[in-house]
Amino acid sequence: MMRKTTLALIGVMMASLPGCASYKPVPPAFHAVLNQPYRLDSGDILRVTVFEQEGLTNAYPVDKGGYIAFPLVGSVPARGRTTQQLEQALADQLRGGYLRDPDVTVQIDQYRPFFIMGEVTTGGQYTYVPGMTVQKAIAIAGGFTARAEQESVDITRQVGERILTGRVLTSDPIVPGDTLYIRERWL
């Protein structure tokens, strides 16, 4: 009787293993975003400089709707644009009745945050720094807990209009807005 119960339990465990091993690799678009120009989104803070226009030069946050509130012209869409595209859009709008030949520069003053949760000491929202890797993000969050899986992590990332989740090594880079999930190890 004991032998049959043990065999049945082993059978159930073996049947569940393919689910653990069937995690698909990340799609190519997941890593392709690392080599593309940075796209602005909510949470970014931009330094906009308009040459010889002290009153317009300032830091402007991208709001939750994806816009910046810019003097004279009002709300300007920023979400999904590069800094160069936003420079052009601002110059075009300022040229439309406000300034003759505006010279506009847009720089990222502060990137939107990344998020980390799971088996780290202090999960939460943290400031992104260019060149950040998963390892650096974990260090900022106080390091792994004793139960953490330390080889790979799950990252959820917005790529264009899609939300993708993939499992990556701890040496992989992250981008602003990523959500990192540190899994619990099984052994």
Side-chain angles (χ1 to χ4, degrees), residues 108-123:
I108 299 167
D109 204 24
Q110 183 176 332
Y111 290 89
R112 62 187 173 271
F114 71 92
F115 305 86
I116 189 165
M117 59 186 179
E119 296 298 323
V120 289
T121 304
T122 311

Side-chain angles (χ1 to χ4, degrees), residues 4 18 20 27 43 45 54 69 80 90 110 117 128 132 144 148 162:
K4 287 183 182 180
C20 294
I45 299 175
E54 308 266 327
L90 287 168
Q110 183 176 332
M117 59 186 179
Y128 175 83
M132 187 168 278
F144 290 113
R162 301 180 346 200

Side-chain angles (χ1 to χ4, degrees), residues 74-143:
S75 292
V76 179
R79 177 177 285 142
R81 290 183 168 177
T82 64
T83 54
Q84 291 81 13
Q85 291 169 334
L86 185 58
E87 285 173 3
Q88 187 62 48
L90 287 168
D92 290 345
Q93 289 194 13
L94 288 170
R95 201 174 286 115
Y98 300 104
L99 299 174
R100 189 170 300 160
D101 189 23
D103 184 4
V104 180
T105 304
V106 176
Q107 297 173 311
I108 299 167
D109 204 24
Q110 183 176 332
Y111 290 89
R112 62 187 173 271
F114 71 92
F115 305 86
I116 189 165
M117 59 186 179
E119 296 298 323
V120 289
T121 304
T122 311
Q125 171 181 315
Y126 293 94
T127 303
Y128 175 83
V129 178
M132 187 168 278
T133 64
V134 172
Q135 287 173 326
K136 291 176 184 174
I138 291 167
I140 288 171

Side-chain angles (χ1 to χ4, degrees), residues 26-48:
V26 296
F30 191 83
H31 287 299
V33 74
L34 299 171
N35 298 319
Q36 296 172 355
Y38 182 71
R39 302 285 175 175
L40 301 170
D41 206 347
S42 299
D44 289 329
I45 299 175
L46 308 175
R47 166 67 52 191
V48 180

